[in-house]
Amino acid sequence: MLTGLKKKHKLLITFVICILILVIPFLLIQNKLNELEEKVMIYLQEDKGYSSSDIRLIERDFDRLPRYSIWITFEDESFVRYQYIEKRNNIEQQTYEINEESVDGSGKLMKETDINPNNLLHFDSPKAVERRY
């Protein structure tokens, strides 16, 4: 009977360890993304002068390099999303992506050639590179 109880304890301990191995990295990633999102929002509001109503969508990204990033889509430019990262304790715009199925104000489907990066309203990084999604 004692060996059966020891096996149950070993199984329980193994199960708990496996759950911790799976859950802890997820929680750490979510915590890092929460912190980055908060820093990006502070940067956009305090340094760039945006209000929360200027922002249409906030997306978190972990699987691309840079490893952690926040993608922002603005209300007045919904066909573009901008990537923000933290680099050397500073928030900076890394790149932007143009939605291939975007329509302009008249309802016409926009083409890649219709968009001039110099005309993007929220583009502020000379190092940023266009990426399509």
Side-chain angles (χ1 to χ4, degrees):
M1 177 143 177
L2 193 54
T3 51
L5 191 56
K6 285 182 180 181
K7 283 184 182 180
K8 287 182 183 179
H9 282 281
K10 285 182 181 180
L11 282 174
L12 180 62
I13 289 170
T14 303
F15 178 75
V16 169
I17 289 172
C18 288
I19 294 296
L20 289 175
I21 288 172
L22 294 173
V23 170
I24 288 176
F26 175 78
L27 294 175
L28 292 173
I29 291 167
Q30 290 305 311
N31 184 55
K32 176 68 174 170
L33 288 170
N34 286 341
E35 290 175 4
L36 181 57
E37 182 178 336
E38 185 176 328
K39 289 177 181 180
V40 168
M41 291 306 295
I42 290 170
Y43 167 78
L44 290 174
Q45 291 173 340
E46 294 180 5
D47 293 357
K48 293 296 186 177
Y50 293 108
S51 71
S52 58
S53 63
D54 293 328
I55 297 170
R56 171 180 237 161
L57 181 64
I58 301 170
E59 299 170 274
R60 301 159 167 220
D61 198 0
F62 173 68
D63 61 353
R64 296 182 190 160
L65 289 177
R67 192 151 279 226
Y68 302 99
S69 63
I70 302 295
W71 290 89
I72 301 290
T73 302
F74 293 93
E75 283 290 343
D76 59 354
E77 201 172 50
S78 61
F79 61 91
V80 180
R81 68 182 194 155
Y82 297 90
Q83 182 186 42
Y84 292 87
I85 63 166
E86 184 174 20
K87 195 172 192 178
R88 295 184 207 106
N89 295 324
N90 292 315
I91 299 298
E92 64 180 48
Q93 191 182 84
Q94 179 71 19
T95 189
Y96 65 91
E97 292 183 343
I98 298 171
N99 181 350
E100 292 179 10
E101 298 177 2
S102 297
V103 294
D104 64 10
S106 67
K108 182 183 100 182
L109 190 64
M110 296 176 75
K111 299 176 187 164
E112 183 176 347
T113 54
D114 295 337
I115 298 166
N116 180 344
N118 296 326
N119 295 336
L120 294 175
L121 300 174
H122 307 286
F123 179 65
D124 66 356
S125 176
K127 296 179 284 181
V129 177
E130 176 188 3
R131 289 182 14 189
R132 302 191 69 77
Y133 68 101

